[in-house]
Amino acid sequence: KQWYQRRVAVGTDDTCESCLGETETACNVKKDTDDDFKCHSYEYNLTEKKFIMKEDLTICKRLEGTPIKCNMPGDFADEDYEVKKKGCGGCRYSDKAARVCAECEDRDECNRTPVKCVQGDGSDGLGRICIPEKSQAPPTVCSKPKFLEYEGFADGTYSCGDCDTNTCEECDGNDVTACNTKITTVGRDFRCNEYKFDQDSKSYVKKNMEETEGTVTCRRLKTTPMLCNKPVANNGNKVQFLDNTRCGGCSVSGVQAEHCQQIDPVPILCLQGDGTNTEGQTCPKSGDDGVPVKCHQTKFVQYSGFAGELSYGCGGCTPDKLNTTCQECFGNTDEPCNKEIITIKPDYKCYDYEYKEKEKKFKTKDDMITCQRRENTAPKCNMPGREATSTNYLNNGCGGCTAEEMTAMTCTECGNVQCNRAFVAAFTAIFLPLILALL
């Protein structure tokens, strides 16, 4: 009985293990061990608010056949996370799944402070810890697909480690932010005409739309000029065209051989003038400003109407008019983007309010206000709310209230024509708080 009690007690000790004894051989023989290995340990720095790798390495012991594994804090580890076994061994499954722990294997000291890189397709733009592959040193660089001028992004993924193709670019990694973020300086695409050699005229002519659509899409960075090129016949003879893409200017060799001519891209289409002509017209190059990439038109303010006389044209809005009386859009080569804005007729009316300082309250004006709206837009009117003052309610009666105004009760809206009468405002001021209290 005493031996049984001792065996149970020993079995509950984390530093000791028990086995079922036999009469012929001892069961508690010494187990074979493998070579020691080392791992880094980490501690949380409250000042820097991140885990810092300790200077001293942890010596890790293992049984024969047990793989080398080290662990480290993961992407979502916080100050409450405790590094397991001072960095020795792998992660618990739950910790690994929650990304509070990361592990590496088959290499001594593989859990040194890892760099962070954007990984996968790069759509989320988030830097994640780079875990070394088996038997590989921890990566120190990040990589991403290269932007090929006039072609766009090369095929490939965002990853940790060196590039394996010439369509990839690298950057020096760090443990704070990912260096391989997506390029954000990509400019607007443009189109260039494609050409073929015409035997009858002994010259190069544009391909028609039935032949590979007649144009090619060119992609560029914002600082790259929009240029195209076309082949030039050599004394009426077909030439081996040296610039085999229509995007961009001519190469030096193409110019020297007189086989290439630099031209402007396919022009965009914009509505132009006062909008009487609803057909898109081409936008030619204008002086030193280059080829227009945008169209503009008079801004329509929902429920108020057009912010001026109708005017359409090529190019963007001037800075002083942008988003006040003018709105712009990126142009297309097949149809105008500054299309006619369709409004619902007839216009409708709402009551308008003004603050009477002497009476210290809002009163309806004698004249109602006319409201305009775009197609597929419901009519709305608004009025001063319970908390409205002469400074926080400056609306006219057309349209609804903002979410902030509704929350602050400085504005109340209704969804019909002429629905914002004074008695409605009074009803709202009295009963709206009661209704909200019941929700």
Side-chain angles (χ1 to χ4, degrees):
K1 181 177 180 182
Q2 289 177 347
W3 173 85
Y4 174 76
Q5 289 175 338
R6 179 170 177 76
R7 184 171 67 86
V8 172
V10 168
T12 59
D13 189 340
D14 289 340
T15 63
C16 178
E17 61 179 321
S18 61
C19 58
L20 187 62
E22 299 179 359
T23 57
E24 297 180 358
T25 58
C27 67
N28 59 339
V29 295
K30 186 177 180 180
K31 293 184 178 180
D32 295 329
T33 59
D34 219 324
D35 295 336
D36 295 346
F37 63 98
K38 296 178 181 179
C39 291
H40 295 277
S41 188
Y42 289 80
E43 61 183 350
Y44 192 81
N45 187 298
L46 291 172
T47 303
E48 298 186 34
K49 297 189 181 301
K50 68 175 184 177
F51 282 92
I52 304 295
M53 188 175 71
K54 293 183 178 180
E55 292 184 5
D56 296 331
L57 288 164
T58 304
I59 298 176
C60 309
K61 309 282 186 179
R62 58 182 175 133
L63 294 174
E64 186 177 28
T66 301
I68 294 175
K69 280 189 177 183
C70 299
N71 70 80
M72 65 192 114
D75 290 313
F76 298 145
D78 57 21
E79 59 184 288
D80 297 325
Y81 176 75
E82 182 179 346
V83 179
K84 304 299 182 287
K85 298 179 182 178
K86 298 181 179 179
C88 296
C91 302
R92 286 198 302 239
Y93 177 80
S94 58
D95 289 345
K96 190 174 180 180
R99 289 174 59 188
V100 296
C101 179
E103 65 181 38
C104 56
E105 57 183 298
D106 284 355
R107 188 180 178 89
D108 226 22
E109 305 177 34
C110 65
N111 67 334
R112 67 184 63 177
T113 304
V115 298
K116 289 186 176 182
C117 299
V118 176
Q119 300 173 41
D121 63 5
S123 57
D124 59 10
L126 298 177
R128 293 187 173 87
I129 287 176
C130 292
I131 308 302
E133 296 182 6
K134 288 185 178 181
S135 303
Q136 300 294 318
T140 59
V141 299
C142 304
S143 59
K144 63 181 176 181
K146 185 181 291 185
F147 186 89
L148 305 176
E149 201 64 276
Y150 297 121
E151 295 181 28
F153 286 103
D155 293 333
T157 58
Y158 292 74
S159 59
C160 305
D162 302 333
C163 289
D164 54 4
T165 66
N166 59 3
T167 58
C168 168
E169 58 182 313
E170 301 172 359
C171 56
D172 293 328
N174 62 78
D175 64 335
V176 180
T177 58
C179 64
N180 62 335
T181 52
K182 196 167 186 177
I183 295 175
T184 57
T185 55
V186 177
R188 182 73 175 173
D189 294 349
F190 63 99
R191 299 187 72 83
C192 291
N193 288 304
E194 294 202 275
Y195 294 84
K196 65 179 181 179
F197 186 76
D198 180 62
Q199 293 290 351
D200 295 333
S201 63
K202 300 298 182 182
S203 63
Y204 284 91
V205 296
K206 294 178 184 178
K207 289 184 178 181
N208 57 43
M209 295 303 290
E210 285 71 32
E211 299 172 288
T212 63
E213 297 185 351
T215 60
V216 60
T217 300
C218 310
R219 296 175 172 85
R220 65 186 183 100
L221 297 176
K222 288 180 180 178
T223 55
T224 302
M226 293 187 296
L227 297 173
C228 301
N229 63 78
K230 63 172 290 187
V232 177
N234 184 8
N235 296 322
N237 296 316
K238 185 176 182 180
V239 297
Q240 181 64 41
F241 190 51
L242 301 176
D243 299 298
N244 54 13
T245 174
R246 304 291 76 78
C247 300
C250 299
S251 65
V252 174
S253 57
V255 173
Q256 290 176 343
E258 297 183 349
H259 293 168
C260 179
Q261 177 185 349
Q262 183 173 295
I263 58 175
D264 292 327
V266 178
I268 62 172
L269 300 177
C270 295
L271 290 185
Q272 299 178 39
D274 61 3
T276 305
N277 184 356
T278 57
E279 295 293 326
Q281 301 174 57
T282 58
C283 294
K285 184 176 180 179
S286 176
D288 297 330
D289 295 333
V291 179
V293 296
K294 293 180 179 180
C295 304
H296 69 266
Q297 66 191 114
T298 305
K299 182 178 178 65
F300 182 85
V301 181
Q302 188 68 290
Y303 297 112
S304 295
F306 288 99
E309 295 294 325
L310 286 181
S311 176
Y312 298 83
C314 302
C317 301
T318 58
D320 60 317
K321 294 182 179 180
L322 180 61
N323 295 329
T324 53
T325 61
C326 177
Q327 61 190 57
E328 62 185 23
C329 55
F330 282 106
N332 307 302
T333 58
D334 52 355
E335 62 177 0
C337 65
N338 58 341
K339 296 180 179 179
E340 179 187 8
I341 295 175
I342 308 299
T343 59
I344 296 177
K345 296 297 183 181
D347 299 335
Y348 71 98
K349 293 182 180 294
C350 290
Y351 290 93
D352 198 9
Y353 286 79
E354 60 182 344
Y355 189 78
K356 297 294 186 180
E357 192 64 41
K358 186 176 181 179
E359 301 175 40
K360 301 295 182 185
K361 67 178 182 179
F362 285 94
K363 298 193 72 173
T364 54
K365 294 181 180 179
D366 294 336
D367 297 325
M368 299 183 74
I369 188 169
T370 300
C371 311
Q372 299 180 42
R373 57 194 168 117
R374 300 183 68 157
E375 62 179 345
N376 302 318
T377 303
K380 280 186 179 181
C381 298
N382 72 82
M383 66 202 87
R386 188 183 70 178
E387 302 297 330
T389 66
S390 59
T391 56
N392 63 24
Y393 180 82
L394 303 173
N395 305 345
N396 60 37
C398 294
C401 309
T402 65
E404 293 77 12
E405 290 171 337
M406 294 283 282
T407 301
M409 294 186 183
T410 60
C411 178
T412 304
E413 67 179 40
C414 53
N416 210 330
V417 299
Q418 303 181 24
C419 62
N420 59 338
R421 291 184 180 179
F423 78 88
V424 178
F427 174 88
T428 304
I430 296 171
F431 290 102
L432 183 59
L434 298 175
I435 296 171
L436 292 174
L438 296 173
L439 295 178

